[in-house]
Amino acid sequence: MAIERLVFLTGWRKTGKTSLLLNLIRQADCLSLDLAGVVSPGRFIDHIETGKFVWDLRSREKFLLASAVPGELLGMQLGLWTFDEDVLAWGNACFTAIEYCDVLLVDEIGPLELERKMGWMAALDALERVTARTAIVVIRPECLETMTARFPEAIHLELTGTSDRGRLLRELLGYSAGNCADLPASDLDD
């Protein structure tokens, strides 16, 4: 593996993992780091998550990946969620195109990948072939043991409701973020 530092970021649902990644993206942009991979923020209506977007960090293109609204998307079902298979294929193509980067982000690996062998399968491949300074992979807690068996060298960071997010950002990036702490929201937040 050509990744110098592999970090598994874990935490239970609604602890702010994706929000932390969005802040990390702003920090990395401020530092002019080459980002690659995808982040999957939720779509909320009245504080209820009704969908999941996917953003490619290189092109900054975004699409609706999954919906909990019946009939909004056609595709594979996983619990309440319907996944757009064309968008999954697009996201996997984004991972396949990556050869090198400073920071590789994968949001997220869970039962879809590890149990059904679907979802971000190209991300798992990318973790074994991409040259990167750091790779940060969001992992569902129930999948951490399986991923650790596959990548035993990974560092584990857990996000809780009381975590020091500034410290976590520094740990995730591997060094101080300098004067980037209070950056305005990016185009990823719309």
Side-chain angles (χ1 to χ4, degrees), residues 106-169:
V106 180
D107 182 19
E108 79 180 1
I109 298 296
L112 189 60
E113 291 78 15
L114 300 177
E115 294 171 12
R116 291 194 179 192
K117 306 298 183 211
M118 301 172 87
W120 301 139
M121 295 306 293
L124 293 172
D125 174 62
L127 292 172
E128 295 176 342
R129 66 167 178 74
V130 167
T131 298
R133 181 174 168 186
T134 300
I136 300 165
V137 184
V138 175
I139 308 243
R140 296 273 183 95
E142 63 269 25
C143 299
L144 185 59
E145 185 177 333
T146 301
M147 283 295 288
T148 299
R150 185 169 178 171
F151 299 98
E153 70 282 359
I155 298 164
H156 301 174
L157 295 178
E158 182 177 2
L159 182 64
T160 67
T162 60
S163 294
D164 178 344
R165 281 162 167 66
R167 180 189 57 78
L168 276 174
L169 277 174

Side-chain angles (χ1 to χ4, degrees), residues 40 67 85 98 119 142 157:
S40 303
S67 176
E85 293 179 33
I98 303 166
E142 63 269 25
L157 295 178

Side-chain angles (χ1 to χ4, degrees), residues 50-108:
T50 63
K52 290 188 179 294
F53 291 105
V54 61
W55 276 305
D56 172 42
L57 296 174
R58 286 243 164 104
S59 70
R60 302 294 166 116
E61 288 182 278
K62 75 174 181 179
F63 297 99
L64 183 62
L65 170 65
S67 176
V69 177
E72 182 176 22
L73 295 176
L74 298 175
M76 172 187 52
Q77 286 292 134
L78 182 64
L80 297 174
W81 296 97
T82 303
F83 286 82
D84 184 318
E85 293 179 33
D86 291 336
V87 174
L88 277 171
W90 171 82
N92 277 307
C94 293
F95 281 114
T96 300
I98 303 166
E99 294 180 24
Y100 61 89
C101 58
D102 292 321
V103 181
L104 173 65
L105 290 181
V106 180
D107 182 19
E108 79 180 1

Side-chain angles (χ1 to χ4, degrees), residues 43-56:
R43 176 187 68 187
F44 293 86
I45 298 174
D46 295 329
H47 306 290
I48 297 171
E49 189 172 28
T50 63
K52 290 188 179 294
F53 291 105
V54 61
W55 276 305
D56 172 42

